[in-house]
Coordinates of all heavy atoms in Angstrom, one line a residue:
Chain A
R19 N 74.8 61.5 67.6 CA 75.5 62.6 68.1 C 76.2 62.3 69.4 O 77.3 62.8 69.7 CB 74.6 63.8 68.3 CG 74.1 64.4 67.0 CD 75.2 65.0 66.1 NE 76.0 65.9 66.8 CZ 75.8 67.2 67.1 NH1 74.6 67.7 66.7 NH2 76.6 67.9 67.8
Y20 N 75.6 61.4 70.2 CA 76.1 61.0 71.5 C 76.1 59.5 71.6 O 75.0 58.9 71.2 CB 75.4 61.7 72.7 CG 75.4 63.2 72.6 CD1 74.4 63.9 72.0 CD2 76.4 63.9 73.3 CE1 74.5 65.3 72.0 CE2 76.5 65.2 73.3 CZ 75.5 65.9 72.6 OH 75.5 67.3 72.6
Y43 N 87.3 61.5 55.9 CA 88.3 61.5 57.0 C 87.6 61.2 58.3 O 86.5 61.6 58.6 CB 88.9 62.9 57.1 CG 89.5 63.5 55.8 CD1 88.7 64.1 54.9 CD2 90.9 63.5 55.6 CE1 89.2 64.7 53.7 CE2 91.4 64.1 54.5 CZ 90.6 64.7 53.5 OH 91.1 65.2 52.4
Y45 N 88.6 62.1 62.4 CA 89.5 62.8 63.3 C 89.0 62.4 64.7 O 87.8 62.2 65.0 CB 89.3 64.3 63.2 CG 89.9 64.9 62.0 CD1 89.3 64.9 60.7 CD2 91.2 65.5 62.0 CE1 89.9 65.4 59.6 CE2 91.8 66.1 60.9 CZ 91.1 66.0 59.7 OH 91.7 66.6 58.6
Q47 N 89.0 64.0 68.6 CA 89.3 65.3 69.4 C 89.0 65.0 70.8 O 87.8 64.9 71.2 CB 88.5 66.4 68.9 CG 88.8 67.8 69.5 CD 88.1 68.9 68.9 OE1 87.0 68.8 68.3 NE2 88.6 70.1 69.0
S50 N 89.5 69.6 75.3 CA 90.4 70.7 75.3 C 91.6 70.5 74.4 O 92.6 71.2 74.5 CB 90.9 71.0 76.7 OG 89.8 71.3 77.5
Q51 N 91.5 69.6 73.4 CA 92.6 69.4 72.5 C 92.1 69.7 71.0 O 90.9 69.8 70.8 CB 93.2 68.0 72.5 CG 93.8 67.7 73.9 CD 94.4 66.3 73.9 OE1 94.7 65.7 72.8 NE2 94.7 65.7 75.0
A52 N 93.1 69.8 70.1 CA 92.7 70.0 68.7 C 92.4 68.7 68.1 O 92.8 67.6 68.5 CB 93.9 70.7 68.0
P53 N 91.6 68.7 67.0 CA 91.3 67.5 66.3 C 92.6 66.9 65.7 O 93.5 67.6 65.3 CB 90.4 67.9 65.1 CG 89.9 69.2 65.5 CD 90.9 69.9 66.4
K54 N 92.6 65.5 65.7 CA 93.8 64.8 65.3 C 93.3 63.7 64.2 O 92.4 62.9 64.5 CB 94.5 64.1 66.4 CG 95.7 63.3 66.1 CD 96.4 62.8 67.4 CE 97.6 62.0 67.1 NZ 97.3 60.7 66.3
L55 N 94.0 63.7 63.1 CA 93.6 62.8 62.0 C 93.9 61.4 62.4 O 95.0 61.1 62.8 CB 94.2 63.2 60.7 CG 93.9 62.4 59.5 CD1 92.4 62.6 59.1 CD2 94.8 62.8 58.3
E67 N 97.0 56.9 59.5 CA 98.1 57.7 60.1 C 99.0 56.7 60.9 O 98.5 55.8 61.5 CB 97.5 58.8 60.9 CG 96.7 59.8 60.2 CD 97.6 60.5 59.1 OE1 98.6 61.1 59.5 OE2 97.2 60.4 57.9
M98 N 85.4 63.3 71.1 CA 84.6 63.7 70.0 C 85.2 63.1 68.8 O 86.4 63.3 68.6 CB 84.4 65.2 69.9 CG 83.7 65.6 68.7 SD 81.9 65.6 68.9 CE 81.6 67.2 69.6
L100 N 85.1 63.2 64.8 CA 84.7 64.1 63.7 C 84.9 63.4 62.3 O 86.0 62.9 62.1 CB 85.5 65.4 63.7 CG 85.2 66.2 65.0 CD1 86.4 67.2 65.2 CD2 83.9 67.0 64.9
S104 N 86.1 65.7 51.5 CA 86.6 66.7 50.5 C 86.5 66.1 49.1 O 86.3 64.9 49.0 CB 88.0 67.1 50.8 OG 88.9 66.0 50.6
G109 N 96.4 68.7 44.7 CA 96.9 70.0 45.0 C 96.5 70.4 46.4 O 96.2 69.6 47.3
Y110 N 96.5 71.7 46.7 CA 96.5 72.1 48.1 C 95.2 73.0 48.4 O 95.2 73.7 49.4 CB 97.7 72.9 48.3 CG 99.0 72.3 47.8 CD1 99.8 72.9 46.9 CD2 99.3 71.0 48.2 CE1 100.9 72.2 46.4 CE2 100.4 70.3 47.7 CZ 101.2 71.0 46.8 OH 102.3 70.4 46.3
T111 N 94.2 72.9 47.6 CA 93.1 73.8 47.8 C 91.8 72.9 48.0 O 90.7 73.4 47.7 CB 92.9 74.8 46.7 OG1 92.6 74.0 45.5 CG2 94.0 75.7 46.5
D112 N 92.0 71.7 48.5 CA 90.9 70.8 48.7 C 90.3 71.0 50.0 O 90.7 70.4 51.0 CB 91.5 69.4 48.5 CG 90.3 68.4 48.4 OD1 89.3 68.7 47.9 OD2 90.6 67.2 48.7
T113 N 89.3 71.8 50.1 CA 88.7 72.2 51.4 C 88.0 71.0 52.0 O 87.2 70.2 51.3 CB 87.7 73.3 51.2 OG1 88.3 74.4 50.6 CG2 87.0 73.7 52.5
Q114 N 88.2 70.8 53.3 CA 87.5 69.7 54.0 C 86.2 70.3 54.7 O 86.3 71.4 55.3 CB 88.4 69.1 55.1 CG 89.6 68.3 54.5 CD 90.4 67.6 55.5 OE1 90.0 67.4 56.6 NE2 91.6 67.3 55.1
Y115 N 85.1 69.6 54.7 CA 83.9 70.0 55.3 C 83.6 68.9 56.4 O 83.5 67.7 56.1 CB 82.8 70.0 54.3 CG 83.0 71.1 53.2 CD1 83.7 70.7 52.0 CD2 82.7 72.4 53.4 CE1 83.9 71.7 51.1 CE2 82.9 73.4 52.5 CZ 83.6 73.0 51.3 OH 83.9 73.9 50.3
F116 N 83.3 69.5 57.6 CA 83.1 68.6 58.8 C 81.7 68.4 59.1 O 80.8 69.3 58.9 CB 83.9 69.2 60.0 CG 85.3 69.1 59.9 CD1 86.1 70.0 59.1 CD2 86.0 68.1 60.7 CE1 87.5 69.8 59.1 CE2 87.4 68.0 60.6 CZ 88.1 68.9 59.8
G117 N 81.4 67.2 59.7 CA 80.2 66.9 60.3 C 80.1 67.5 61.7 O 81.1 68.0 62.2
P118 N 79.0 67.3 62.4 CA 78.8 67.8 63.8 C 79.6 67.1 64.8 O 79.8 67.5 66.0 CB 77.3 67.8 64.0 CG 76.9 66.7 63.1 CD 77.7 66.7 61.9
G119 N 80.0 65.8 64.5 CA 80.7 65.0 65.5 C 79.9 64.1 66.3 O 78.6 64.3 66.4
R121 N 80.0 62.4 70.1 CA 80.7 62.4 71.4 C 80.6 61.0 72.0 O 79.5 60.6 72.3 CB 80.2 63.5 72.3 CG 81.0 63.5 73.6 CD 80.7 64.8 74.4 NE 81.0 66.0 73.7 CZ 82.2 66.5 73.6 NH1 83.3 65.9 74.1 NH2 82.4 67.7 73.0
Chain B
N284 N 104.7 76.5 48.3 CA 103.5 75.9 47.8 C 102.5 75.6 48.9 O 101.5 74.8 48.7 CB 103.8 74.6 47.1 CG 104.5 73.6 48.0 OD1 104.7 73.9 49.1 ND2 104.9 72.5 47.4
E285 N 102.7 76.2 50.1 CA 101.7 75.9 51.2 C 100.7 77.1 51.3 O 101.1 78.2 51.3 CB 102.5 75.7 52.5 CG 103.3 74.4 52.5 CD 104.1 74.2 53.8 OE1 104.7 75.2 54.3 OE2 104.1 73.1 54.3
Y286 N 99.5 76.6 51.5 CA 98.4 77.6 51.7 C 98.1 77.8 53.2 O 98.4 76.9 54.0 CB 97.1 77.0 51.1 CG 97.0 77.2 49.6 CD1 97.8 76.3 48.8 CD2 96.1 78.1 49.1 CE1 97.7 76.5 47.4 CE2 96.0 78.2 47.7 CZ 96.8 77.4 46.8 OH 96.7 77.5 45.5
Y288 N 95.2 78.2 55.8 CA 93.7 77.9 55.9 C 93.3 78.4 57.3 O 94.0 78.3 58.3 CB 93.5 76.4 55.9 CG 93.2 75.9 54.5 CD1 94.2 75.7 53.6 CD2 91.9 75.5 54.1 CE1 94.0 75.2 52.3 CE2 91.6 75.0 52.8 CZ 92.7 74.9 52.0 OH 92.4 74.4 50.7
Y290 N 90.0 77.7 60.0 CA 88.8 77.1 60.4 C 88.4 77.6 61.8 O 89.2 78.1 62.5 CB 89.0 75.5 60.5 CG 88.9 74.8 59.2 CD1 90.0 74.8 58.4 CD2 87.8 74.0 58.9 CE1 89.9 74.1 57.1 CE2 87.7 73.3 57.7 CZ 88.8 73.3 56.8 OH 88.8 72.6 55.7
Q292 N 85.8 76.5 65.3 CA 85.0 75.5 66.0 C 84.3 76.1 67.1 O 84.9 76.5 68.1 CB 85.9 74.3 66.4 CG 85.1 73.1 66.9 CD 86.0 71.9 67.2 OE1 87.2 72.1 67.5 NE2 85.5 70.8 67.2
H294 N 81.7 75.7 70.2 CA 81.7 74.7 71.2 C 80.8 73.5 70.8 O 79.6 73.7 70.5 CB 81.2 75.3 72.5 CG 81.2 74.4 73.7 ND1 82.4 73.8 74.1 CD2 80.2 73.9 74.4 CE1 82.1 73.0 75.1 NE2 80.8 73.0 75.3
S295 N 81.4 72.3 70.9 CA 80.6 71.0 70.7 C 80.1 70.9 69.3 O 79.2 70.1 69.0 CB 79.4 70.9 71.7 OG 79.9 70.8 73.0
Q296 N 80.7 71.6 68.3 CA 80.3 71.4 66.9 C 81.6 71.0 66.1 O 82.7 71.1 66.7 CB 79.8 72.7 66.3 CG 78.4 73.1 67.0 CD 77.8 74.4 66.3 OE1 78.2 74.7 65.2 NE2 77.0 75.1 67.0
G297 N 81.4 70.6 64.9 CA 82.6 70.3 64.0 C 83.2 71.6 63.5 O 82.6 72.6 63.5
P298 N 84.5 71.5 63.2 CA 85.1 72.7 62.6 C 84.5 73.2 61.3 O 83.9 72.4 60.6 CB 86.6 72.2 62.3 CG 86.8 71.0 63.2 CD 85.4 70.4 63.4
Q299 N 84.5 74.5 61.2 CA 83.8 75.1 60.0 C 84.9 75.9 59.2 O 85.7 76.6 59.7 CB 82.8 76.1 60.5 CG 82.1 76.9 59.4 CD 81.2 78.0 60.0 OE1 81.4 78.5 61.1 NE2 80.2 78.4 59.2
Y300 N 84.9 75.6 57.9 CA 85.8 76.3 57.0 C 85.5 77.8 57.0 O 84.3 78.1 56.9 CB 85.8 75.7 55.6 CG 86.4 76.5 54.6 CD1 87.8 76.5 54.4 CD2 85.7 77.3 53.7 CE1 88.4 77.3 53.4 CE2 86.3 78.0 52.7 CZ 87.6 78.0 52.6 OH 88.2 78.8 51.6
H303 N 90.8 80.6 52.9 CA 92.2 80.2 52.7 C 92.8 81.1 51.7 O 92.1 81.7 50.9 CB 92.3 78.7 52.3 CG 91.9 78.4 50.9 ND1 90.6 78.1 50.6 CD2 92.6 78.2 49.8 CE1 90.5 77.9 49.3 NE2 91.7 77.9 48.8
Y341 N 91.3 78.2 64.3 CA 92.5 77.5 63.9 C 93.1 78.1 62.6 O 92.4 78.2 61.6 CB 92.2 76.0 63.7 CG 91.8 75.3 64.9 CD1 90.4 75.0 65.1 CD2 92.7 74.8 65.9 CE1 90.0 74.3 66.2 CE2 92.3 74.1 67.0 CZ 90.9 73.8 67.1 OH 90.5 73.1 68.2
R345 N 98.9 74.4 55.1 CA 98.6 73.2 54.4 C 99.3 73.1 53.1 O 99.2 74.0 52.3 CB 97.1 73.1 54.3 CG 96.6 71.8 53.7 CD 95.1 71.8 53.6 NE 94.6 70.5 53.2 CZ 93.5 70.4 52.5 NH1 92.8 71.5 52.2 NH2 93.1 69.2 52.1
G346 N 99.9 71.9 52.8 CA 100.5 71.7 51.5 C 101.2 70.4 51.5 O 100.7 69.4 52.1
G347 N 102.3 70.3 50.8 CA 103.0 69.1 50.8 C 102.2 68.1 49.9 O 101.3 68.4 49.2
N348 N 102.6 66.8 50.0 CA 102.1 65.8 49.2 C 100.7 65.4 49.6 O 99.9 64.9 48.7 CB 103.0 64.6 49.2 CG 104.3 64.9 48.6 OD1 104.4 65.7 47.7 ND2 105.4 64.3 49.1
T349 N 100.4 65.5 50.8 CA 99.1 64.9 51.3 C 98.0 66.0 51.5 O 96.8 65.7 51.4 CB 99.2 64.2 52.6 OG1 99.6 65.2 53.6 CG2 100.3 63.1 52.5
G350 N 98.4 67.2 51.7 CA 97.5 68.3 51.9 C 96.7 68.1 53.2 O 95.5 68.6 53.3
K351 N 97.2 67.4 54.2 CA 96.5 67.1 55.4 C 96.3 68.4 56.2 O 97.1 69.3 56.2 CB 97.3 66.1 56.3 CG 97.4 64.7 55.7 CD 97.9 63.7 56.7 CE 99.3 64.0 57.2 NZ 99.8 62.9 58.0
L352 N 95.2 68.4 57.0 CA 95.0 69.4 58.0 C 95.6 69.0 59.3 O 95.2 68.0 59.8 CB 93.5 69.7 58.1 CG 92.7 70.4 57.1 CD1 91.2 70.5 57.5 CD2 93.3 71.8 56.8
I353 N 96.6 69.8 59.7 CA 97.2 69.5 61.0 C 96.8 70.7 61.9 O 97.3 71.8 61.7 CB 98.7 69.3 60.9 CG1 99.0 68.1 60.0 CG2 99.3 69.1 62.3 CD1 100.5 67.9 59.7
F354 N 95.9 70.4 62.9 CA 95.4 71.5 63.7 C 96.4 71.8 64.9 O 96.9 70.8 65.5 CB 94.1 71.1 64.4 CG 92.9 71.0 63.4 CD1 92.7 69.9 62.6 CD2 92.0 72.1 63.3 CE1 91.6 69.9 61.7 CE2 91.0 72.1 62.5 CZ 90.8 71.0 61.6
G355 N 96.6 73.0 65.1 CA 97.3 73.5 66.3 C 96.3 73.7 67.4 O 95.2 73.2 67.4
Q356 N 96.7 74.5 68.4 CA 95.8 74.7 69.6 C 94.9 75.8 69.3 O 93.9 75.9 70.0 CB 96.7 75.0 70.8 CG 97.4 73.8 71.3 CD 96.5 72.6 71.5 OE1 95.5 72.6 72.2 NE2 96.9 71.5 70.7

Side-chain angles (χ1 to χ4, degrees):
Chain A
R19 293 294 311 278
Y20 300 90
Y43 308 79
Y45 290 80
Q47 185 174 26
S50 301
Q51 296 185 18
K54 181 174 178 297
L55 182 64
E67 293 300 300
M98 173 81 87
L100 296 160
S104 68
Y110 315 122
T111 61
D112 192 27
T113 301
Q114 292 185 23
Y115 298 93
F116 285 79
R121 184 167 297 282
Chain B
N284 61 0
E285 290 181 316
Y286 282 73
Y288 272 75
Y290 280 77
Q292 189 172 23
H294 183 62
S295 294
Q296 297 183 22
Q299 178 189 22
Y300 166 77
H303 73 276
Y341 294 102
R345 185 180 184 207
N348 294 327
T349 65
K351 290 192 298 187
L352 287 178
I353 300 174
F354 289 82
Q356 291 309 303

